[in-house]
């Protein structure tokens, strides 16, 4: 998993709670690298699972709630670091439509070994779309948080329904801009 995801998660804990809380979570998770992440590194997904498990126990929130909150936070970090990707994007639907074709292509240039989720546009209108999401990591709540934060960035609101498909690790988002 990309290091920027780990560094952003630690940043979120430090900003939203405290640096001491972030250190406490890292120590309790007994991470192989003691939480020493770099934005350009790659780290095992199991490290993220350990951190989320500790956070769920400490906060009483479900892992899915934590992933959603992190997705909202992560969008701001990614937008700040990779703002050029958003520069020519006029709205949330255009952003979502070009995730795999443009944005993930740019990410792969920076991080060739990145294991990114796949997004496929099933249908699109002027105000909505159906978007299929596939990731063996089951991080769809993170994607939902990223989408909602992107909608805030574009000053709009989304109505979204998420449906688990019969195929493993696959979800479909029905999205309407309101």
């Amino acid at each position: 998993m990309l290091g920027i995801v780990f560094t952003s998660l630690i940043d979120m804990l430090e900003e939203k709670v405290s640096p001491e809380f972030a250190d406490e979570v890292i120590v309790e998770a007994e991470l192989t690298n003691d939480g020493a992440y770099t934005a350009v590194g790659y780290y095992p997904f199991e490290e993220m699972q350990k951190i989320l498990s500790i956070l769920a126990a400490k906060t009483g929130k479900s892992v899915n709630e934590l992933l959603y909150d992190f997705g909202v936070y992560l969008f701001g970090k990614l937008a700040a670091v990779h703002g050029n990707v958003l520069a020519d994007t006029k709205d949330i639907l255009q952003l979502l439509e070009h995730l795999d074709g443009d944005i993930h292509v740019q990410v792969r240039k920076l991080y060739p070994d990145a294991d990114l989720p796949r997004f496929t546009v099933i249908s699109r209108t002027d105000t909505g779309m159906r978007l299929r999401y596939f990731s063996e990591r089951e991080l769809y709540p993170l994607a939902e948080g990223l989408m909602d934060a992107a909608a805030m960035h574009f000053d709009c609101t989304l109505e979204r329904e998420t449906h688990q498909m019969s195929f493993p690790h696959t979800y479909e988002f029905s999205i309407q801009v309101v």
Side-chain angles (χ1 to χ4, degrees):
M1 179 165 258
L2 293 175
I4 193 167
V5 174
F6 286 91
T7 58
S8 296
L9 179 59
I10 302 304
D11 288 348
M12 182 182 83
L13 297 178
E14 290 175 347
E15 288 176 28
K16 302 287 184 182
V17 184
S18 72
E20 295 79 19
F21 179 77
D23 288 343
E24 189 179 307
V25 169
I26 289 168
V27 169
E28 283 186 42
E30 298 178 350
L31 304 170
T32 56
N33 64 349
D34 297 323
Y37 299 111
T38 65
V40 295
Y42 293 97
Y43 304 97
F45 178 60
E46 294 75 24
E47 299 270 305
M48 176 69 67
Q49 291 173 308
K50 288 179 183 178
I51 293 169
L52 290 169
S53 176
I54 298 296
L55 283 173
K58 288 188 163 301
T59 64
K61 286 188 167 188
S62 72
V63 169
N64 283 352
E65 289 172 306
L66 293 166
L67 283 169
Y68 175 86
D69 292 346
F70 179 51
V72 171
Y73 181 86
L74 183 60
F75 180 84
K77 286 288 193 179
L78 295 174
V81 173
H82 302 289
N84 58 321
V85 174
L86 295 174
D88 296 327
T89 306
K90 65 177 183 162
D91 62 35
I92 180 72
L93 294 177
Q94 183 184 25
L95 175 73
L96 295 173
E97 184 174 33
H98 296 286
L99 274 172
D100 272 359
D102 293 338
I103 296 170
H104 283 176
V105 169
Q106 298 302 319
V107 171
R108 285 194 198 290
K109 287 179 184 176
L110 297 170
Y111 309 101
D113 296 329
D115 182 13
L116 301 171
R118 288 194 306 268
F119 291 90
T120 306
V121 176
I122 305 302
S123 64
R124 163 112 197 262
T125 67
D126 288 342
T127 59
M129 72 173 25
R130 285 181 39 231
L131 187 66
R132 185 165 295 144
Y133 165 90
F134 172 84
S135 172
E136 291 182 2
R137 295 182 174 148
E138 299 282 338
L139 297 176
Y140 70 91
L142 178 74
E144 291 173 329
L146 286 163
M147 282 188 258
D148 287 351
M152 288 183 261
H153 174 82
F154 289 106
D155 198 28
C156 64
T157 303
L158 295 182
E159 288 181 355
R160 182 189 56 257
E161 291 182 18
T162 303
H163 304 280
Q164 186 171 8
M165 306 306 290
S166 58
F167 316 107
H169 317 294
T170 305
Y171 295 81
E172 195 168 288
F173 302 115
S174 295
I175 301 163
Q176 198 66 34
V177 177
V178 293

